[in-house]
Amino acid sequence: MFATLSDRLADTFKNLRGKGRLSEADIDATAREIRIALLEADVALPVVKEFVAAVKERARGEEVSQALNPAQQIVKIVDEELVEILGGETRRLRYAKTGPTVIMLAGLQGAGKTTLAAKLALWLKEQGKTPLLVAADLQRPNAVNQLQVNGERVGVPVFAPEPGNGVGDPVGVARASVEEAKRKLHDVVIVDTAGRLGVDAELMQQAADIRDAVTPDEVLFVVDAMIGQDAVTTAQAFLDGVGYDGVVLTKLDGDARGGAALSIAKVTGKPVMFASAGEKMTDFDLFHPDRMASRILDMGDMLTLIEQAEKTFDQEQALKAAEKLAGGKGDFTLDDFLEQMQQVRKLGSLSKIMGMLPGMGQFRDQLENFDEREIDRIQAIIQSMTPAERADPKLIDGSRRARIAKGSGRQVSDVNQLVDRFFEARKMMQQLARGGGMPGMPGMGGMPGLPGPGKRAKGKQQAKKGKGKRVSGNPAKAAQQKQAEQERAASGGGNPFGAPAGDEVDYEKAAAALDLPKDFSKYLK
């Protein structure tokens, strides 16, 4: 969604690289580019003006003029100001001290409230809560049925006493749901209300009546992130008419410009609390302003990636694989390789995962064109091998490769490529597991010809031979030099204390005479 904004900002910062000092013209040009980038991303004009003014003011201050790398300091300022307009810090749900926590969802029709209600219920279930979904949208055709289907998918009960499709009293359903939750010991109630195609008095009145009937602990305004500037207008109208505590953004995985996400929190003063970024029920999480700012600036989102991996990966399997790799005896087989690939796949789309890594914005085109079915092809090839071949890929000769290719419906070249890649990947992972660093990376112990960590060089470098004492080409002068050397040798052999070369020197006595510390002799022997 923020691809255009991200690319534009990256180009702007690229122009600042290598500059030891930023002039007034540099700051103005940068501010102008940032302004254009934000306006093109459909960010509300008042927000753009305030953002650019804050960046310019800080860019002219001491923190940039005295910085060793002004370009990096500008990136830091833009990052901090982005976090500020996105809401500052992560806002979490407030739970009721007694009785069930009531969460009411409001918004326009088509924003994705009903699907989001099920996603929120699943998220709360994973947090250890026991939610109850309430079908209070009795206007839209099949809204009740849709919520029941979604509730079944996420394993959360749905309270739906009325059939909907224009029949029933939504205020009565909402009121009865709280009593139902108390009776069946549900600690969270999620009320899905009706939406309209536009803001109108009837919609506002119904939402206000439901709010008054259930006195919710949180009222969440659900907004489609793809509707642009109108999202801000709608959000403000709902705030004035019904009031809400936080915003939930849906369809953040779309290809629209996403200015709504950057505008709503600043214009309404209400934080963005959750974000939905996909069609799956698990594509939903807390909205973190700092992480979103990092993504926009192509600095990645490693924290979210780590959190997803912790939830998805089988800890025991991962430990077994790590032990096999650390052993370095070739125990890591193609079966283990396939297991790891399947674990990664559970995280979701590979292009989405790669997009969370820092600096991947420059490979956006390749990521968008990545064929997700490649893992299926790899799986087909590996599963066309015998258990012995998967355990020891070195057994796979030419005839076996031809058989595997035929069994998996692939070419022999695909089998060759997979086997070669497996050996390379295993070698690299074993080196990483043993702390040897990445092969070929400078300073990480993997460079050819350089000793790895904990290893000594194979042979000592030969000491360079010192140059001999220069002798004058003049015979008379050469004789004079020779005589001086003979006299120096006779007077003490160059000993620092002036004693004859052959005699034993009393170093301690000499050290005492020179006011040196005791035991000084051990440093001279």
Side-chain angles (χ1 to χ4, degrees):
M1 173 162 280
F2 297 106
T4 308
L5 175 60
S6 185
D7 291 344
R8 193 76 188 246
L9 289 175
D11 291 340
T12 302
F13 299 139
K14 207 177 285 180
N15 297 331
L16 297 176
R17 285 180 196 160
K19 293 192 176 183
R21 191 177 182 82
L22 296 183
S23 65
E24 193 70 26
D26 290 330
I27 292 170
D28 287 340
T30 303
R32 186 170 59 252
E33 288 297 321
I34 291 172
R35 184 187 299 112
I36 292 167
L38 292 171
L39 288 171
E40 283 184 350
D42 220 11
V43 180
L45 185 59
V47 177
V48 174
K49 283 182 175 178
E50 192 177 332
F51 181 85
V52 172
V55 170
K56 280 179 81 170
E57 186 182 344
R58 289 183 63 183
R60 291 191 177 109
E62 288 185 7
E63 62 180 310
V64 171
S65 61
Q66 295 182 4
L68 292 173
N69 191 332
Q72 286 296 321
Q73 201 67 25
I74 291 285
V75 174
K76 180 174 176 283
I77 289 170
V78 171
D79 179 42
E80 289 170 0
E81 292 299 328
L82 272 176
V83 172
E84 186 63 30
I85 68 167
L86 286 166
E89 56 185 31
T90 305
R91 159 82 154 78
R92 298 177 187 274
L93 280 174
R94 290 189 302 251
Y95 295 103
K97 290 180 182 176
T98 56
T101 301
V102 180
I103 300 170
M104 175 180 158
L105 303 180
L108 295 180
Q109 190 172 312
K113 289 190 302 302
T114 305
T115 305
L116 188 125
K119 288 183 176 183
L120 177 58
L122 177 61
W123 184 83
L124 287 164
K125 190 179 169 186
E126 288 173 348
Q127 307 297 314
K129 304 291 180 184
T130 53
L132 173 70
L133 286 164
V134 180
D137 180 359
L138 306 179
Q139 302 295 324
R140 182 169 62 86
N142 287 321
V144 173
N145 186 43
Q146 183 190 350
L147 189 64
Q148 286 172 330
V149 170
N150 285 340
E152 194 177 331
R153 284 176 65 191
V154 297
V156 173
V158 178
F159 180 69
E162 299 287 356
N165 297 325
V167 178
D169 175 22
V171 179
V173 170
R175 191 182 288 114
S177 69
V178 178
E179 295 304 317
E180 177 75 3
K182 287 177 181 176
R183 193 168 63 84
K184 293 194 174 176
L185 302 177
H186 291 282
D187 53 10
V188 182
V189 177
I190 302 167
V191 183
D192 176 31
T193 64
R196 295 290 186 280
L197 293 175
V199 177
D200 59 22
E202 189 184 347
L203 165 65
M204 291 299 185
Q205 190 56 51
Q206 190 187 91
D209 290 344
I210 293 173
R211 179 199 64 199
D212 295 339
V214 298
T215 55
D217 299 281
E218 297 276 17
V219 179
L220 301 182
F221 175 62
V222 183
V223 63
D224 181 349
M226 296 175 73
I227 65 175
Q229 292 277 354
D230 194 46
V232 180
T233 311
T234 309
Q236 193 62 52
F238 261 89
L239 187 62
D240 298 337
V242 183
Y244 52 82
D245 303 296
V247 178
V248 182
L249 291 170
T250 62
K251 307 178 190 176
L252 266 179
D253 57 326
D255 56 0
R257 290 178 284 186
L262 295 170
S263 308
I264 280 183
K266 198 70 178 174
V267 171
T268 64
K270 299 295 180 182
V272 179
M273 290 176 60
F274 293 98
S276 173
E279 294 180 7
K280 292 180 181 176
M281 290 294 167
T282 50
D283 293 334
F284 175 86
D285 207 348
L286 281 168
F287 182 84
H288 300 277
D290 52 342
R291 299 184 193 181
M292 182 56 75
S294 291
R295 285 198 204 188
I296 292 170
L297 295 175
D298 196 24
M299 295 192 289
D301 187 1
M302 293 303 293
L303 284 174
T304 300
L305 186 58
I306 290 164
E307 284 172 7
Q308 286 184 6
E310 283 176 346
K311 279 195 279 185
T312 308
F313 280 15
D314 184 329
Q315 193 77 18
E316 200 175 323
Q317 264 189 353
L319 282 171
K320 281 180 184 175
E323 284 170 9
K324 287 182 177 183
L325 287 167
K329 297 174 183 174
D331 293 330
F332 189 79
T333 66
L334 277 164
D335 280 322
D336 301 315
F337 181 69
L338 182 59
E339 270 180 17
Q340 294 303 306
M341 294 286 280
Q342 288 168 339
Q343 292 263 23
V344 169
R345 194 169 197 178
K346 286 181 189 174
L347 286 173
S349 161
L350 277 179
S351 52
K352 203 175 190 179
I353 296 164
M354 296 295 285
M356 290 184 190
L357 300 174
M360 293 306 287
Q362 56 191 314
F363 305 112
R364 190 171 289 114
D365 291 339
Q366 291 94 314
L367 289 176
E368 285 173 0
N369 295 323
F370 177 74
D371 189 354
E372 297 285 344
R373 292 172 299 174
E374 190 61 36
I375 294 181
D376 293 330
R377 297 182 189 117
I378 290 171
Q379 185 170 332
I381 293 171
I382 294 175
Q383 289 180 340
S384 296
M385 299 175 185
T386 64
E389 288 167 348
R390 291 200 290 269
D392 185 8
K394 290 178 182 176
L395 294 174
I396 306 173
D397 55 19
S399 62
R400 288 174 186 253
R401 290 179 192 222
R403 190 203 78 241
I404 292 164
K406 195 176 286 184
S408 60
R410 308 302 302 161
Q411 300 293 323
V412 175
S413 58
D414 295 328
V415 180
N416 293 341
Q417 201 173 39
L418 172 63
V419 173
D420 292 344
R421 278 183 183 172
F422 168 73
F423 284 126
E424 285 172 17
R426 184 170 72 178
K427 184 180 177 184
M428 185 182 76
M429 288 190 290
Q430 283 174 343
Q431 192 160 352
L432 280 170
R434 293 196 299 268
M438 286 280 282
M441 288 292 282
M444 294 185 75
M447 285 285 283
L450 287 179
K455 295 179 184 177
R456 293 187 176 182
K458 285 186 179 177
K460 290 184 180 179
Q461 288 185 332
Q462 288 185 348
K464 289 184 180 178
K465 291 183 179 179
K467 291 183 180 179
K469 198 165 182 74
R470 293 182 67 180
V471 180
S472 174
N474 186 329
K477 209 167 188 178
Q480 195 176 357
Q481 281 178 350
K482 192 176 180 182
Q483 188 179 352
E485 281 177 17
Q486 286 173 349
E487 287 174 1
R488 198 178 297 117
S491 65
N495 190 291
F497 299 108
D503 292 354
E504 186 66 34
V505 180
D506 186 349
Y507 289 111
E508 288 298 320
K509 189 175 179 183
L514 293 169
D515 290 330
L516 294 173
K518 285 186 177 182
D519 300 322
F520 187 73
S521 59
K522 66 183 178 184
Y523 299 107
L524 299 174
K525 288 181 180 176

